[in-house]
Amino acid sequence: MGAHARGPSNLRLVWVYPDLLSTYGDRGNLLVLERRARLRGIGVEAIQVNADQPVPRHGDIYLLGGGEDLPQVLAARRLRTDAGLAAAAAQGSVVFAVCAGYQLIGAEFGGDKGQPVAGLEILDIRSGRGERRGVGEILADVDPELGVPRLSGFENHQGVTRIGPGARPLARVLTGVGNGDGTEGAYAGRVLGTYLHGPALVRNPALADLLLSWAVGTLPPLDGEYEAWTARFREQRLAAVPVG
Amino acid sequence: MGKLPMRARVATTLGGAAGRMSRLAGRGDGSVIGGVIGLRVEPGLLSLLAADRQVVLVTGTNGKTTTTRLITSALSALGQQVASNAFGANMEAGLAAALGAAPEAPYAVLETDEKYVPSVLQATNARVVTLLNLSRDQMDRAAEIWLVARRWREAFEAAPDCRVVANADDPLIAWAASGAHQVTWVAAGQRWHEDSWCCPRCGSHLRRDDLGWRCGECEFSRPSARWVLDGSSVIDSAGRVTELSLALPGRANRSNAVMALAVAEVFGVSPAAALQKMRSVTSVAGRYTQVERDGRTVRLLLAKNPAGWLEAFDVLDPARAPVLLSVNAQVPDGRDTSWLWDVDYRVVRDRPVFVSGERGLDLAVRLEADGVPFELVGGIDEAVSRVRPGGTLDVIANYTAFQQIRTAVGRAA
Ligand SMILES: [Zn+2]
């Protein structure tokens, strides 16, 4: 879509269903995108859409967070009925989904009793329940196509995800579980999902910038105090977690 | 309780000896190790130790230790010994140790970890279960809270003699408690709403107004309460208004106190008698303690999760005193610091903020995003040195960070 298609208006960040899909620090992704856009002089309109409201179709970046089993099923059902998110994705809006949100933008996922639940089908993945919960720090090397350095994050899920021919793995797992087959996350076009839960973009500012650039075009690099703290934090986490 | 079978007596004796040795060796208060050894000898120890006693369980995400202490104080008005795990050892071993340490006490008030409520309820045949609140906490090791609520509900359905004293203002608590045969509803308030936007029964949106909450779709709504926290006072079942006047600070502690009054009533202790005892509680396992350090006053607040931080901010010195925020991510804290992004730190913008702890950088990035100026310091002493002599430093820390600071400033106070 790029900056021109957006016109003079603000960058519209849409946080989808924080009432159902915000288990643990998901607000961080919204705050980081907002902050990194503003530091570059881009105006931001942050929109929170609860599950009893329609999802606007004119957003630039849509964010979906994690959720417990039952809220995840409810969110998928409502989003399918609403159809706004799928329409926005089809028009080329950016979608960034973590954990439960990642599963539900796919074709299918495991529900609260393990039953298959229909997802939104905006990313060609299918998820189910694994044998055991993957809980802990995760490291993964991103698909070189995307030009994003090593991912660092925390995962806490029992999902197993298979990637279909219409999507590519986001990264290759070095430490942790990810999709369960040595890959982590998936992307296709401007839709990107990951098992790095909660504030995944805080530790991975380059991924945040990738999403922003998909929406607004090439971005100037950031410097200053914010980037200094972020860089120190990221280095500390990368140093603290052994590879493999 | 002179009727313990031999195996249980051996188990408590061994457990007691191990507890004493643990204390002598300087490892904590010895309460857990004694229980662990006792339970190894006699797995049914908890139910044997609880037999013939009137047991109160206290559970919830926040306020367990303080409420346990307040109920214990209130029941002391009965003039008999009350057993309690006062130091927060809240799994089976800690509970067994507390009962074993007070074999003659006819009453027991036991802080109970959320996950263990069903098994402990069954083992102790508790007369009262006190349900404070449920919110996100240490998600890397704790069960999801909707699941916790469901397990509680099933446990209460199977325990017809148990009375549940429940916070009606917390929808998830109300849903769990409404499975019980006997309930005392308490309007104890709920400041943290982020985990209860949706109806626990049907998943639809909850509507909130001054009177509480109700589901937009099904019939589920806030039960009418027998006890109501109203600002700094409590309105009891007879409509009498009593000023709480606690020594403990903050809204969360007033909420805990009202829950304690409702439990005390079950045992025939009047609000006046209960409050008289509860007002003498000034600190609980180091929380709310004030210590002098290098000519400054340091006040210690524990906050372990987003709802807890929200309540801790409420207690901060109103005179814009400097505050030290300290965060670790050891196993007891939860290894995952994502929750920092669920806390709104903008409320401390207008006071000097110091940051420390093993995960101080997580906090630094978080504060930066909220536009809160801060200074990263090496620890409590560096923060104290930045405060003017005679001034006050408030400290908010999560579990192991709190223990480290408490050790550093000395446990004497
Ligand atoms: Zn409902």
Side-chain angles (χ1 to χ4, degrees):
Chain A
M1 202 163 20
H4 299 293
R6 212 163 40 76
S9 67
N10 289 332
L11 178 73
R12 286 155 304 201
L13 304 177
V14 182
W15 188 10
V16 179
Y17 294 0
D19 50 346
L20 289 177
L21 299 174
S22 169
T23 315
Y24 222 37
D26 295 287
R27 179 182 295 276
N29 294 325
L30 181 75
L31 292 176
V32 164
L33 287 176
E34 189 173 352
R35 178 90 177 159
R36 297 185 75 80
R38 285 193 199 283
L39 286 170
R40 292 170 167 116
I42 301 167
V44 174
E45 186 186 351
I47 306 159
Q48 297 188 27
V49 183
N50 281 343
D52 59 348
Q53 297 168 326
V55 178
R57 296 172 185 224
H58 60 271
D60 297 303
I61 302 180
Y62 291 79
L63 298 169
L64 289 94
E68 294 192 19
D69 294 341
L70 201 56
Q72 183 188 21
V73 172
L74 290 166
R77 197 181 298 156
R78 279 169 200 253
L79 285 170
R80 278 178 68 90
T81 308
D82 176 273
L85 181 61
Q91 290 159 24
S93 296
V94 179
V95 178
F96 177 63
V98 310
C99 214
Y102 168 47
Q103 294 185 338
L104 74 76
I105 62 171
E108 185 183 284
F109 62 92
D112 53 317
K113 296 170 191 76
Q115 80 278 19
V117 178
L120 300 187
E121 300 179 59
I122 59 180
L123 188 60
D124 187 11
I125 57 167
R126 301 185 102 78
S127 304
R129 265 168 180 255
E131 293 294 302
R132 57 181 190 87
R133 236 181 144 72
V135 183
E137 295 280 340
I138 177 167
L139 292 175
D141 277 339
V142 180
D143 184 338
E145 291 282 307
L146 295 176
V148 170
R150 182 169 291 177
L151 293 181
S152 158
F154 200 93
E155 62 180 337
N156 185 353
H157 64 97
Q158 203 168 344
V160 178
T161 295
R162 276 184 298 118
I163 299 169
R168 294 170 65 125
L170 171 65
R172 192 172 51 83
V173 174
L174 300 167
T175 301
V177 177
N179 292 326
D181 62 356
T183 67
E184 152 47 34
Y187 75 101
R190 290 172 178 168
V191 176
L192 190 151
T194 173
Y195 274 118
L196 270 61
H197 87 166
L201 299 179
V202 176
R203 284 198 211 176
N204 301 287
L207 187 60
D209 284 353
L210 176 71
L211 300 172
L212 287 171
S213 71
W214 282 350
V216 305
T218 311
L219 295 165
L222 277 186
D223 48 26
E225 202 176 354
Y226 177 76
E227 210 58 351
W229 285 115
T230 298
R232 268 180 79 179
F233 170 54
R234 183 176 155 79
E235 276 163 31
Q236 188 194 55
R237 292 324 305 152
L238 285 170
V241 182
V243 173
Chain B
M1 316 281 112
K3 296 173 289 191
L4 283 180
M6 181 56 83
R7 249 163 82 87
R9 237 180 295 158
V10 170
T12 48
T13 309
L14 281 176
R20 278 191 297 281
M21 287 190 311
S22 164
R23 272 191 299 277
L24 288 173
R27 298 179 184 207
D29 61 22
S31 57
V32 179
I33 182 72
V36 168
I37 290 178
L39 283 167
R40 212 169 283 160
V41 176
E42 172 54 75
L45 184 61
L46 188 56
S47 79
L48 289 165
L49 287 168
D52 303 324
R53 311 203 213 210
Q54 303 208 44
V55 174
V56 177
L57 306 183
V58 181
T59 196
T61 305
N62 287 315
K64 290 187 286 288
T65 306
T66 301
T67 308
T68 296
R69 175 68 179 278
L70 290 171
I71 296 171
T72 304
S73 300
L75 295 191
S76 73
L78 294 165
Q80 287 178 285
Q81 203 189 350
V82 183
S84 184
N85 51 342
F87 296 99
N90 62 14
M91 297 182 224
E92 285 193 355
L95 272 54
L99 292 172
E104 303 302 326
Y107 301 99
V109 183
L110 302 174
E111 170 182 340
T112 309
D113 181 271
E114 295 91 297
K115 268 188 299 199
Y116 291 84
V117 167
S119 62
V120 170
L121 171 56
Q122 200 183 20
T124 60
N125 195 22
R127 179 165 175 202
V128 176
V129 177
T130 316
L131 302 183
L132 302 171
N133 48 65
L134 267 179
S135 67
R136 60 190 73 182
D137 184 31
Q138 297 172 39
M139 303 270 300
D140 58 319
R141 65 191 185 99
E144 298 180 337
I145 54 177
W146 286 41
L147 194 61
V148 169
R150 195 169 77 209
R151 288 183 181 148
W152 287 359
R153 202 179 149 87
E154 289 160 6
F156 299 146
E157 281 166 356
D161 298 331
C162 171
R163 172 167 290 276
V164 172
V165 174
N167 181 2
D169 288 326
D170 184 323
L172 211 45
I173 289 287
W175 183 71
S178 59
H181 296 254
Q182 311 167 49
V183 187
T184 301
W185 296 110
V186 181
Q190 184 201 35
R191 177 167 294 173
W192 174 261
H193 288 171
E194 303 302 321
D195 291 303
S196 54
W197 290 114
C198 297
C199 175
R201 184 192 279 170
C202 77
S204 297
H205 251 253
L206 291 179
R207 297 185 181 157
R208 283 195 169 81
D209 57 28
D210 292 345
L211 297 174
W213 50 266
R214 65 191 165 82
C215 178
E217 300 281 323
C218 74
E219 296 298 300
F220 196 49
S221 62
R222 199 202 76 163
S224 58
R226 183 173 170 83
W227 295 83
V228 177
L229 171 64
D230 183 26
S232 61
S233 55
V234 58
I235 306 172
D236 69 19
S237 46
R240 279 182 302 252
V241 180
T242 310
E243 200 61 29
L244 290 168
S245 306
L246 302 173
L248 293 175
R251 191 214 69 87
N253 284 324
R254 293 194 284 277
S255 172
N256 296 335
V258 176
M259 296 294 295
L261 289 176
V263 174
E265 185 197 36
V266 176
F267 295 89
V269 179
S270 72
L275 274 171
Q276 199 200 348
K277 298 289 185 184
M278 283 156 55
R279 285 169 186 148
S280 66
V281 178
T282 55
S283 80
V284 178
R287 298 146 208 209
Y288 317 108
T289 300
Q290 291 202 13
V291 292
E292 295 302 313
R293 186 80 172 167
D294 295 337
R296 286 85 164 173
T297 302
V298 177
R299 193 165 59 138
L300 303 179
L301 303 168
L302 174 73
K304 297 185 282 194
N305 48 50
W309 280 75
L310 194 61
E311 300 288 5
F313 289 149
D314 182 56
V315 180
L316 286 181
D317 191 306
R320 311 275 177 234
V323 62
L324 169 66
L325 311 177
S326 188
V327 170
N328 285 357
Q330 297 182 17
V331 170
D333 307 305
R335 308 285 300 177
D336 179 9
T337 58
S338 296
W339 59 271
L340 290 171
W341 293 84
D342 291 323
V343 180
D344 187 347
Y345 289 95
R346 288 174 298 181
V347 291
V348 295
R349 251 182 202 165
D350 50 8
R351 60 180 80 215
V353 175
F354 304 104
V355 168
S356 73
E358 292 155 11
R359 298 301 286 270
L361 284 177
D362 296 58
L363 199 48
V365 173
R366 176 70 192 92
L367 291 171
E368 216 287 337
D370 260 358
V372 177
F374 64 91
E375 190 184 338
L376 193 65
V377 296
I380 178 74
D381 281 325
E382 195 181 340
V384 167
S385 73
R386 296 279 198 286
V387 177
R388 67 172 175 78
T392 297
L393 175 70
D394 281 335
V395 176
I396 307 179
N398 71 343
Y399 191 73
T400 64
F402 182 89
Q403 302 304 348
Q404 287 168 355
I405 290 169
R406 201 180 156 206
T407 303
V409 298
R411 285 171 181 248

